[in-house]
């Protein structure tokens, strides 16, 4: 039997009291919207739960949600929680949870939950970086002939509570030294100690 509740995991200081907190993910047994919940146990504010949408929990499915890590992305003294919500053949998709006021919320942009593309293949890459008050996402694609010219899009956002507000969009082209090798300056996760990839889902017995 697959366990619907992951065990508690330590994260950074979400509520800003100087002590680490802990989280766990719970699958609610359904497809579609709000089929998972993130439970955060904070030393000062107690437990809070946020529902979110993620890949269904099925036998052998490593794409189901996992906690990627936590970091104070906007440098306000509170750690944000990054969660992989699903993944494809070569790309993971992450979202962010943040304490706004005294309430934990899923971060949104333009009214929709944040969905960050991470990693990719020899023809496309996605990533993001934290820069204090700003948050930057980058996507790159390349095509034949040569697979050396990469077209990129860099979107810059400003933090406003639990929202990422679009500030600017920049597009351009860069050339890599080898076919299918994206320029390092434009790819990957660069945000504190967050990993380049979230761990795969590994079901526990329950």
């Amino acid at each position: 039997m697959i366990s619907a509740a992951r065990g508690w995991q330590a994260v950074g200081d979400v509520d800003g009291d100087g002590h680490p907190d802990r989280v766990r993910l719970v699958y609610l047994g359904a497809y579609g919207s709000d089929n998972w919940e993130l439970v955060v146990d904070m030393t000062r504010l107690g437990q809070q739960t946020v529902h979110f949408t993620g890949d269904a929990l099925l036998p052998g499915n490593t794409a189901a949600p996992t906690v990627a890590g936590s970091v104070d992305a906007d440098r306000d003294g509170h750690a944000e929680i990054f969660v992989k919500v699903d993944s494809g053949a070569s790309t993971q998709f992450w979202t962010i949870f943040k304490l706004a006021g005294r309430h934990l919320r899923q971060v949104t942009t333009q009214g929709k939950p944040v969905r960050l593309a991470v990693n990719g293949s020899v023809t496309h890459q996605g990533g993001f970086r934290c820069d204090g008050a700003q948050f930057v996402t980058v996507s790159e694609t390349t095509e034949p002939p040569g697979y050396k010219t990469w077209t990129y899009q860099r979107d810059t956002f400003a933090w406003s509570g639990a929202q990422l507000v679009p500030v600017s969009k920049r597009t351009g082209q860069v050339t890599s030294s080898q076919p299918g090798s994206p320029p390092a300056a434009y790819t990957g996760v660069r945000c504190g100690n967050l990993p380049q990839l979230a761990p795969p889902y590994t079901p526990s017995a329950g």
Side-chain angles (χ1 to χ4, degrees):
M1 170 179 183
I2 295 177
S3 174
R6 304 291 289 161
W8 289 105
Q9 297 174 251
V11 291
D13 181 11
V14 178
D15 60 5
D17 66 350
H19 300 283
D21 298 307
R22 60 180 189 161
V23 303
R24 69 173 181 165
L25 298 174
V26 179
Y27 179 54
L28 301 179
Y31 293 89
S33 62
D34 294 339
N35 60 337
W36 284 82
E37 61 183 22
L38 175 76
V39 184
V40 182
D41 186 23
M42 295 173 281
T43 55
R44 180 169 61 94
L45 297 178
Q47 286 192 16
Q48 293 190 22
T49 299
V50 182
H51 291 82
F52 69 96
T53 302
D55 212 28
L57 189 59
L58 300 171
N61 179 23
T62 60
T66 57
V67 176
S70 64
V71 66
D72 185 1
D74 59 354
R75 302 176 191 165
D76 68 346
H78 300 265
E80 282 71 54
I81 302 167
F82 290 74
V83 173
K84 180 200 76 177
V85 292
D86 59 49
S87 60
S90 61
T91 306
Q92 295 184 345
F93 298 94
W94 297 9
T95 194
I96 312 172
F97 295 87
K98 176 178 177 58
L99 193 71
R102 296 174 62 88
H103 301 284
L104 192 73
R105 305 184 187 279
Q106 186 174 12
V107 174
T108 61
T109 183
Q110 296 179 298
K112 297 181 179 179
V114 165
R115 185 176 170 88
L116 306 170
V118 175
N119 202 33
S121 70
V122 296
T123 61
H124 70 277
Q125 289 284 330
F128 63 89
R129 63 199 64 187
C130 303
D131 188 19
Q134 293 189 330
F135 189 90
V136 180
T137 63
V138 179
S139 61
E140 303 176 331
T141 58
T142 186
E143 298 178 351
Y147 294 100
K148 285 188 176 183
T149 300
W150 290 78
T151 300
Y152 70 85
Q153 177 173 313
R154 181 189 299 176
D155 293 290
T156 300
F157 302 85
W159 288 97
S160 178
Q163 297 182 66
L164 286 175
V165 180
V167 173
S168 66
K169 178 180 294 186
R170 178 182 174 187
T171 59
Q173 289 187 334
V174 289
T175 302
S176 60
S177 59
Q178 298 178 2
S181 177
Y186 294 91
T187 59
V189 174
R190 299 186 180 188
C191 187
N193 61 356
L194 290 178
Q196 293 301 304
L197 286 172
Y201 184 90
T202 52
S204 58

